[in-house]
Amino acid sequence: MAVNLSKGQRVSLDKGMTMALVGLGWDVNQYDGGTDFDLDASAFLLGANGKVRKDEDFIFYGNLDSSDGSVHHTGDNLTGEGDGDDEVLTIDFSKVPPDVDKIAITVTIYEAEVRKQNFGQVSNAYVRVARMANAQDMQGTEVLRFDLMEEFSIETALVVCEIYRHNGEWKFNAVGAGYQGGLEALCRAYGVNV
C-alpha cells in the first residue's frame, strides 16, 4: 500500500529499491485560452552545493538521458490528456554517481507567459514513486504519492519533490514549492547555463 505524503514530509525509500519510476500527472481546469497546456517534467542531478555538476545533469524533453544512465525521461506529453501519469522519469539508483547528493523533480509550463498560463489553472497534480521490477516495468508498484493540494495562482514552475541521499540511503522530500519565471528560473537556480 502506498504512503500518501503531505507537503514538507520526508520519508526513506526502501533500501532494496534499485529502480524507481517517478510519475507526474495533472488535469487542466476548465480553460478557454485557445491553446493546450504543455506541462514539462524535469530532473536536476545536484551536487553537495545544490547545483548541477554540468549542464548535462539537467534531464528534460530536450535531453532525455543523464550521461551516466541513472535518470531517463520517457518523453514529452504535449497535452496532459488522459488518465494516469502524464510524464515519467525513471531512476536507476545503482548508476547515480557518488557526487550526486540530490535529484530535484520539477514541473514547468511550456511558454507560460506567451500563453498566459499558470499553475492556478491546473488541478489534481501529483507525483508518485513506484518500485520498478526491471527496466521494462513502466507501471511499477506504487510506494508513495504526494498530491499537490496547494493553489498556485501565479507560479509557472514547481519543485515537486527531491530524492536525496542521507547517511547512505535515499529519501524523498515532498517539496511542493512554486516559482515564477518558468523553466529558465529553475535552470538559473540550479546552475544550468541558459
Side-chain angles (χ1 to χ4, degrees), residues 121 160 174:
Q121 298 158 318
V160 179

Side-chain angles (χ1 to χ4, degrees), residues 110-173:
Y110 182 72
E111 292 187 342
E113 289 181 23
V114 174
R115 298 178 180 190
K116 297 182 177 23
Q117 297 172 342
N118 60 58
F119 278 105
Q121 298 158 318
V122 174
S123 60
N124 303 323
Y126 70 85
V127 59
R128 70 182 190 97
V129 175
R131 172 196 302 273
M132 297 172 67
N134 54 52
Q136 288 71 44
D137 180 9
M138 294 313 292
Q139 185 59 36
T141 304
E142 188 169 308
V143 293
L144 63 88
R145 182 181 184 95
F146 171 39
D147 292 307
L148 285 88
M149 307 302 261
E150 193 170 330
E151 293 293 322
F152 296 99
S153 58
I154 58 174
E155 292 84 353
T156 56
L158 297 177
V159 176
V160 179
C161 64
E162 295 170 339
I163 296 172
Y164 65 99
R165 219 186 291 254
H166 181 71
N167 292 334
E169 64 178 296
W170 288 100
K171 298 188 121 189
F172 178 94
N173 179 16

